[in-house]
Structure formats: structure tokens, C-alpha cells
Amino acid sequence: MKQLVLAGGGHAHLHVLKALAAHPWPGVEVTLISPYARQIYSGMLPGWMAGHYRLDQCAAALEPLLKAAKVRFIQDSVSGLDARRRVIQTLHSGDIAYDALSLDTGAQVDASCLAATGAKLLTIRPIESFVVDWTQQIDRFKQAGKASLAVVGGGAAGVELALAARYRLSLELGANKVQVTLIAGSGLLPGHGPSIVRQVTRTLARRQIEVVQGYAAGCSSGLQLSDGTAIPVDCVIAATGVKPAAWLADSRLALAQDGFIAVQDGQQSVSHPEVFAAGDVASRIDAPHAKSGVYAVRAGPVLAGNLHRVLNGLAPLAYQPQKRSLYLLATGPKEAIMSWGGISAGGGWAWKWKDWIDRRFMRQYDLAPENGIGEEHEPA
Ligand SMILES: Cc1cc2nc3c(=O)[nH]c(=O)nc-3n(C[C@H](O)[C@H](O)[C@H](O)COP(=O)(O)OP(=O)(O)OC[C@H]3O[C@@H](n4cnc5c(N)ncnc54)[C@H](O)[C@@H]3O)c2cc1C
């Protein structure tokens, strides 16, 4: 029996599980290692924060997928990898040997500059910790009867989180009791076109979210900007850039300049042909792209196909990631801003579109009898 280990229950691996459930791979024993028994979909997280979704609507349960795919589950975290010995190390379950390895463990939030904020700091990843922290934070705000909060990070996630927090807290406490600040570093939505930046800027102003351009460091009262200006707040949400897990550095895998796993056109490691990686944990050296869920999802079928091929002694097939993505940013109430190829527009219709796409995307992982396992849908 050949041993295939899937590390991480991320979006690409959900697809591999689905592929295995549809057509088992004879002669291959598959193990999934992931710390949680479900995968929360980040695209719906702002909608959950705003109160539009229950958490279970935003999560794919792994157990039914694993059962259907006949995959062994080790609920644990990968803590190391020795690619030379083909062994993956876990926090509590010992070492696991593999013939082929696929990594979809995502990225971590780089919040080191905010550490001095202490207990007031909430980081967006792991999302499982964030949902607990945010729920407790709402209770604390309710007890205090007012809320002051800063989101650090001017990317799409930071914008959505600030808008969702403002909307939810205004509902809970009244709009005049809530103060939300967005610290946007070098500016809002780096890498996005001027049209969506203008639209998002207007929306943030309309929702009374103060946008501060600049870099903030943590301090006991909240945040301090590089020019010394203090921003005292009760809570800071870190939606800053991503960084690779520390254990990758000792894995002996070739890494890209950003420290993530260097992969080539078939999502195959450039240094170890039996290792594949997809999603935020990987960087395509031939076709660099943003770290976003759309790429993780689209890499899923490629990963499933190429793992199967390699386990059968065949060369992996090349895959070209898309150049443009559709963005649908949730803006707090049931409204969203759509951006595609330099054009942007927003309103309730964009939310309905996003909601429809996201619910349909999640439905494919719900193995209730009425939902066919063969469905294929992409997220917004
Ligand atoms: C608020 C927010 C909103 C976003 N909205 C969008 C959006 O609308 N569209 C979009 O394209 N992108 C969006 N993104 C970005 C998107 O979340 C990521 O790019 C995407 O989740 C990457 O998918 P992934 O499979 O690589 O990793 P993840 O989704 O992070 O999954 C990683 C998996 O690995 C597991 N894992 C982590 N560490 C270990 C370990 N050591 N051992 C074993 N398992 C481990 C995790 O538990 C998880 O199951 C958003 C991000 C945020 C924060």
C-alpha cells in the first residue's frame, strides 16, 4: 500500500477528499492531518461577524467527507517535516511516513509588530481561535456598553472585517457607541484598481470608519503609529500580511523568496517530486499570484489529478492559474462591492450574488443525500 499524507484541511484538500469519495484510488492509503474537524470558509466570515450567517453555515464538516473518501483522520497539527526522510512530524501523534505528501496548511498572520497590545489583540488566523475570541469580545463590549476597535491591515480582509465589526457592534450597542478605525499601512487595497479603491473609500466614510494611512505597532493602550500618535482602543484585530509556518524553514523543501513552498506548474515542489502544495502555503515560482482562496480552490482538482498520477508513476500535468479574479467584498449590511478587471460597482444586488455563490460553494461539501457529491462550484 502506498501512503499518501494530506497535511491541512484547506480548500484544495477538500476537493481531494471529494475526488477520493467519488472514485477511490486502489492501492493507496490516505491520511489527513488537520487540527480541526471542520474547515471554516473565510469568504463567509465577515457575513458571520455581521450576524448574517450561523457559524455552521460557514463551515465544511470534515468527518462525512473523510468517511465517504475512506481517509484516516489524525486531528493534530503538523509541527515539522523532513523531506529527505519523507517523514512528517505532528505535535501529539508522532511521526508519519509518506510516499507522497500534499500540503494545504495555509498561512499564518504576521502580527509580531502588534504583540505589545497583549490581551486586546485578536488575530484572524487560526480562524477557529478568532471565532471564539470575537464572540467573547462582543460580550465584553456589551458589558461595557460601548466599543472602540481598530483593524490593522488595509487589504480586502481588513476592509471587510472593519465593515462587519462596525455593522454588528452598531446593531448591538447603537451607532454612536461604536468607534472603528482601519489602519491601512501604505493605503487601502494594495494591488487593486483605482475604481474599487474609490468605492471602498466612500463606503468606509459612509459607515463612519476612520481610515488611517500608516503603520502601527502594538502598545498597552492599543496602537501607536510610527509618528508617535497613540490610538487607544479596547480591541485590535490583526489582518496584517501573511507569513509561513516556522517549521517550513527546516523542512529541506526548496522555498520561494517569501518563505513559502516553491512549487512549479503542476503544484509540485521544485525540489522534491513526491511533494505537492497548494493554497497559501505554496508559491508558484513560474506564475506568481496573490494568496487568496480562489487560487486554493482552483488548485484542488489539479492537486487531486496530479497526486493520482504521481502515485501511479505518471508525470504531473501543468496548470496555469487565472490572471484575474472576481472580488465581492461584503460591506456590513447585506450589501457588497463587486470588482472585476478594473470595473467596480456595489449594492444589495452584489451581496445577493455573493451570498448565492458562497452558499452554493459550501453546499458541495455538505454530503446530505440531496446534495450530489459530483457538484463543482467556486467561491466568490
Ligand atoms: C476575513 C477574510 C476574508 C477572506 N475572504 C476571501 C474571499 O472572499 N475570497 C478569497 O479568494 N480569499 C479570501 N480570503 C483569503 C483566504 O482566506 C485564503 O487565501 C484561503 O483561506 C487560503 O486557503 P488555504 O487552503 O491555502 O488555507 P486555509 O483556508 O487557511 O486552510 C488551511 C488549513 O490547514 C490547517 N492547518 C493550519 N496549520 C496546520 C498545521 N500545522 N498542521 C495541519 N493543519 C494545519 C487549518 O486548520 C486549515 O484547515 C480571506 C481571508 C480572510 C482572513
Side-chain angles (χ1 to χ4, degrees):
M1 272 286 191
K2 285 191 177 150
Q3 297 298 322
L4 167 63
V5 172
L6 307 175
H11 296 297
H13 279 173
L14 290 183
H15 186 91
V16 176
L17 293 179
K18 253 187 78 183
L20 282 161
H23 302 289
W25 299 350
V28 182
E29 204 167 74
V30 189
T31 302
L32 176 84
I33 307 166
S34 204
Y36 306 105
R38 64 182 177 183
Q39 169 74 356
I40 296 177
Y41 172 42
S42 57
M44 290 172 83
L45 195 69
W48 169 78
M49 278 178 79
H52 305 316
Y53 300 118
R54 298 185 315 272
L55 196 54
D56 63 285
Q57 293 176 295
C58 315
L62 292 181
E63 204 196 309
L65 271 174
L66 291 160
K67 211 166 143 197
K70 298 193 172 50
V71 169
R72 178 168 74 123
F73 184 38
I74 297 180
Q75 190 164 353
D76 203 343
S77 291
V78 171
S79 54
L81 164 62
D82 185 343
R84 202 182 48 182
R85 287 174 47 232
R86 297 191 184 180
V87 164
I88 196 141
Q89 291 127 17
T90 61
L91 269 186
H92 309 290
S93 314
D95 292 358
I96 294 152
Y98 61 81
D99 297 301
L101 170 67
S102 178
L103 294 135
D104 182 15
T105 45
Q108 298 180 350
V109 175
D110 189 359
S112 44
C113 62
L114 303 173
T117 302
K120 290 180 179 180
L121 181 64
L122 272 52
T123 53
I124 189 67
R125 287 186 190 282
I127 290 181
E128 287 282 353
S129 309
F130 177 76
V131 296
V132 174
D133 294 345
W134 174 245
T135 306
Q136 291 171 351
Q137 186 60 51
I138 291 183
D139 287 342
R140 280 195 290 273
F141 282 144
K142 280 197 213 160
Q143 275 162 22
K146 63 183 175 56
S148 66
L149 170 144
V151 176
V152 183
V159 166
E160 285 192 295
L161 294 172
L163 286 160
R166 167 87 209 175
Y167 176 74
R168 175 68 182 274
L169 294 172
S170 298
L171 283 184
E172 301 279 358
L173 306 168
N176 60 346
K177 295 280 170 38
V178 180
Q179 195 194 331
V180 175
T181 307
L182 179 61
I183 313 292
S186 59
L188 283 172
L189 299 178
H192 291 254
S195 163
I196 185 167
V197 173
R198 273 195 305 273
Q199 187 131 11
V200 164
T201 305
R202 277 199 303 271
T203 304
L204 289 164
R206 219 174 34 245
R207 307 260 200 269
Q208 294 168 301
I209 294 174
E210 188 190 355
V211 179
V212 175
Q213 202 160 322
Y215 290 91
C219 63
S220 57
S221 67
L223 296 171
Q224 189 169 34
L225 297 176
S226 41
D227 67 2
T229 311
I231 303 183
V233 284
D234 299 325
C235 172
V236 172
I237 298 180
T240 37
V242 291
K243 66 172 185 184
W247 51 265
L248 279 178
D250 300 322
S251 67
R252 296 171 197 269
L253 291 177
L255 303 179
Q257 273 186 346
D258 57 11
F260 292 95
I261 302 167
V263 295
Q264 49 200 343
D265 57 12
Q267 297 300 133
Q268 187 180 36
S269 155
V270 298
S271 59
H272 292 74
E274 69 285 2
V275 177
F276 287 73
D280 287 359
V281 75
S283 286
R284 278 283 293 260
I285 52 162
D286 58 322
H289 57 70
K291 298 223 176 285
S292 96
V294 172
Y295 294 102
V297 171
R298 293 236 168 130
V302 184
L303 203 56
N306 281 343
L307 287 168
H308 192 213
R309 287 179 70 84
V310 161
L311 285 161
N312 285 290
L314 300 170
L317 298 178
Y319 147 74
Q320 197 56 39
Q322 71 203 79
K323 291 214 165 61
R324 291 196 298 191
S325 311
L326 169 71
Y327 281 91
L328 284 161
L329 299 184
T331 62
K334 289 186 175 178
E335 292 176 14
I337 296 173
M338 178 281 305
S339 162
W340 169 253
I343 302 164
S344 77
W349 61 270
W351 165 266
K352 281 192 188 133
W353 189 17
K354 177 174 167 54
D355 177 59
W356 180 76
I357 293 174
D358 286 345
R359 284 179 193 262
R360 190 183 60 153
F361 173 68
M362 290 309 291
R363 220 172 27 241
Q364 68 187 317
Y365 302 118
D366 179 357
L367 297 193
E370 68 274 18
N371 297 320
I373 196 157
E375 273 189 82
E376 287 299 329
H377 300 300
E378 293 194 346

